[in-house]
Amino acid sequence: MVVSREQITPELAQSPAQLVPSYPAGTLDLDDPLLQKVRLVEVLDADDVVTQVDALKRRFPQLVCAVQVPADGQAATRMGELAAAGAEILHLAANVQGRGFGEAGDLHVKDLIRQTHLKLVELRLRDSVTLLASGGIAMAEHVAKAIVCGADGVIVDLPLLIALECRICRQREVRRLRGEVGRAMFVEDLQKEIFAPLFARTVEESERREGE
């Protein structure tokens, strides 16, 4: 569970194996006792993030460190720079609607993942780094689509809130799906309406040819 460091309560800190503290730019404190207990940390991108990560790895070599980069128009180039500098994990973060920031506001997270993946391939750095993506990952198929576009994994948030029946900006709620069967396709209906007539025509044609 990725949680901003300032939001990690003493109760949460009792389960360090399940925590990934996320440190905003300039807030990473190497004397933070939590760093001795967790296995993975995240640092938000900044001009000196490479220096911060290097210092962190020297002090805690057992830690794996991720760098979160906002999904703006420069994300692909920036991630290429970070990968070249030795970053282990890169986290491409879109907004909650699955869109980019700034000049990339019209781009969907799948397109931003694709751009980043191809940039890393171009630089011959793709296999040297793990690429994670977040923002707007709300359904199971979004996970597969993100991976097809080039991500190694995703970070989810919306499904957890929806499962708790939390109203998200008063626009999304699990109960809104109640009875909405038109949003789904059922295998028995597909077999009856599509495949059954198709195979019936095939049988009829075969019988007609045999009769000829």
Side-chain angles (χ1 to χ4, degrees):
M1 183 169 62
V2 182
V3 184
S4 176
R5 180 62 182 93
E6 62 183 10
Q7 295 180 334
I8 296 179
T9 63
E11 290 76 15
L12 280 178
Q14 293 177 11
S15 302
Q18 285 74 45
L19 280 180
V20 179
S22 181
Y23 294 86
T27 66
L28 180 61
D29 180 7
L30 297 181
D31 293 323
D32 184 349
L34 192 59
L35 294 175
Q36 300 178 358
K37 303 175 182 178
V38 297
R39 298 177 293 181
L40 173 65
V41 300
E42 178 180 79
V43 180
L44 275 61
D45 190 26
D47 292 339
D48 64 340
V49 71
V50 174
T51 302
Q52 294 183 53
V53 171
D54 287 344
L56 178 67
K57 295 291 290 185
R58 286 196 299 270
R59 182 79 171 269
F60 304 99
Q62 79 283 1
L63 278 179
V64 177
C65 185
V67 179
Q68 182 189 128
V69 178
D72 57 24
Q74 304 301 315
T77 299
R78 179 56 176 162
M79 287 193 158
E81 295 171 352
L82 293 170
E88 300 171 285
I89 300 176
L90 296 175
H91 170 193
L92 180 68
N95 66 22
V96 70
Q97 285 79 33
R99 299 286 174 178
F101 298 101
E103 63 270 40
D106 293 333
L107 293 178
H108 192 270
V109 64
K110 67 177 177 60
D111 301 310
L112 296 162
I113 294 170
R114 189 66 177 157
Q115 287 181 4
T116 302
H117 169 75
L118 292 176
K119 185 64 175 181
L120 293 171
V121 170
E122 176 189 338
L123 297 173
R124 299 182 180 179
L125 293 169
R126 185 62 190 89
D127 291 335
S128 67
V129 67
T130 297
L131 177 60
L132 302 179
S134 69
I137 308 294
M139 296 185 288
E141 58 263 35
H142 293 169
V143 177
K145 289 178 181 178
I147 294 174
V148 165
C149 289
D152 293 298
V154 300
I155 297 174
V156 300
D157 45 24
L158 291 180
L160 304 179
L161 297 177
I162 294 172
L164 294 172
E165 297 189 356
C166 173
R167 295 189 177 186
I168 302 174
C169 298
R170 299 184 179 181
Q171 295 177 348
R172 194 185 303 238
E173 185 181 2
V174 70
R175 284 174 291 185
R176 290 175 63 88
L177 294 176
R178 181 188 301 150
E180 292 288 334
V181 294
R183 296 176 179 265
M185 292 185 292
F186 299 96
V187 65
E188 57 268 23
D189 294 334
L190 293 174
Q191 291 174 340
K192 179 180 178 181
E193 298 172 8
I194 298 176
F195 297 113
L198 176 63
F199 290 120
R201 287 196 298 271
T202 302
V203 171
E204 290 175 0
E205 291 176 0
S206 298
E207 291 176 347
R208 178 176 55 81
R209 290 173 181 172
E210 290 177 358
E212 294 175 353

